[in-house]
Amino acid sequence: MSFDFDTPLQLRGTHCSKYDGIKRSFGVDDPDIIPMWVADMDFRTAPAIRAALQADAERGYFGYYTDPTPVSAAVANWYRDRHGWDVDPGCIRYTHGVVNGFGDVLAAFSAPGDAVIVFSPVYHAFFRQIRAMGREVLESPLVIRDGVFHMDLEALAERLTGREKILTLCSPHNPGGRLWTVEEIKAVVAFCAAHDLILVSDEIHMDLTFPGVRFTPTAVAAPECLNRLVVLTAASKGFNIAGAETGLMLVPDQALMRKLEPVLLDRESSPSRFGMPMIQAAFGESGDWSEAVRAYIAENFRIFEERISRLPGISVMPMEATYLSWVDFSALGMTDAELQQRVLDAKIAANPGTQFGDGGEGHMRFNLALPRATLLEAISRLETAFSDVQ
Ligand SMILES: Cc1ncc(COP(=O)(O)O)c(C=O)c1O
């Protein structure tokens, strides 16, 4: 089956945060701006997902949801077939989004004043959630070697205060689309064991690996960590259904689950009536769409990297997953404000690197999940905007 990712969808005026949120976040209101910020794709989701929602709409009943057994079966099958993890469907719980699930983990395994480790630059909402819950963020800056991010666990060990309770791994990493190797994951797991930390592995981008690239879940890379592991993930990024606000929490260890369960009962109650059939249709019936969209994104990245890397002083981090490209402008010697203004003046809304914490200075993140023609237009605009730099 073929899917049309080329025809632009008309998303302005549809309460689409990627389009209709530009004015609030960037202070400009220009319908010509190309949105390359919010992590949604500009693509219509898989046919089976749309059909599942249509069936519910026909029934016209939108009360509370219960008995996720078929959804959990679809999730477990997907994990087994795609990612080689034989996960027990009984250890899957549903949250109102991954970030809320992260809040549940913070509530269950830490107290106000405790510290939570993140490897920065990283997805910005982690910071927000940790601070909103009265915990402290301990940033462990990633180092760039061979052009890609690496964790520096030795430097992190030296900065520990003894108040750390949780370590957060973003796998695949956002921004930059790095897939951690089995050795790297094992090293993080050993670090957590040595310092008695709960390991939260945010695997929301797991289904966005480029063709031929395999994602290894933390639980598969390092089964020795199951007694301290909480996996947060979703169908939202891989299938472009983030507005369904439904996350998955996978907790293989029963003792950990017993600590989490009271928090989940308090905070999550019933899963989203809209999200659940969408997840079931995503993992259960939309494998071909997933293959197609990943190939399309990989080609978008290839084109973007080839053209943007040619610009003097600008480099694009190689990536193997996600559609969130991390671009380094630091060699141009501009301030972050100058850089952001120049990109916005080119009529592109992209994320400032500084949103992602330490190491984000001089960088910007570009969402490449756009129809090809829109992407090519964005590339031309960037080429023109930076044509004066040598
Ligand atoms: C790593 C990561 N985690 C979580 C989220 C957000 O998840 P949710 O919308 O389900 O809270 C994102 C969104 O971009 C993300 O990149």
Side-chain angles (χ1 to χ4, degrees), residues 92-149:
I92 303 170
R93 296 291 181 277
Y94 298 89
T95 63
H96 293 149
V98 163
V99 175
N100 281 330
F102 183 53
D104 299 336
V105 180
L106 296 178
F109 298 111
S110 67
D114 286 344
V116 178
I117 299 166
V118 299
F119 294 102
S120 59
V122 73
Y123 174 56
H124 38 83
F126 289 161
F127 298 97
R128 177 165 42 82
Q129 185 74 316
I130 294 168
R131 291 184 181 126
M133 293 192 57
R135 278 70 168 163
E136 275 174 32
V137 178
L138 178 67
E139 284 189 60
S140 177
L142 293 164
V143 289
I144 298 185
R145 256 198 331 271
D146 302 326
V148 295
F149 288 132

Side-chain angles (χ1 to χ4, degrees), residues 39 97-100 123 126 170 174 202 204-205 236-237 242 245 324:
V98 163
V99 175
N100 281 330
Y123 174 56
F126 289 161
C170 189
N174 167 21
D202 178 334
I204 194 170
H205 295 282
S236 54
K237 298 297 159 186
E245 294 284 359
L324 303 166

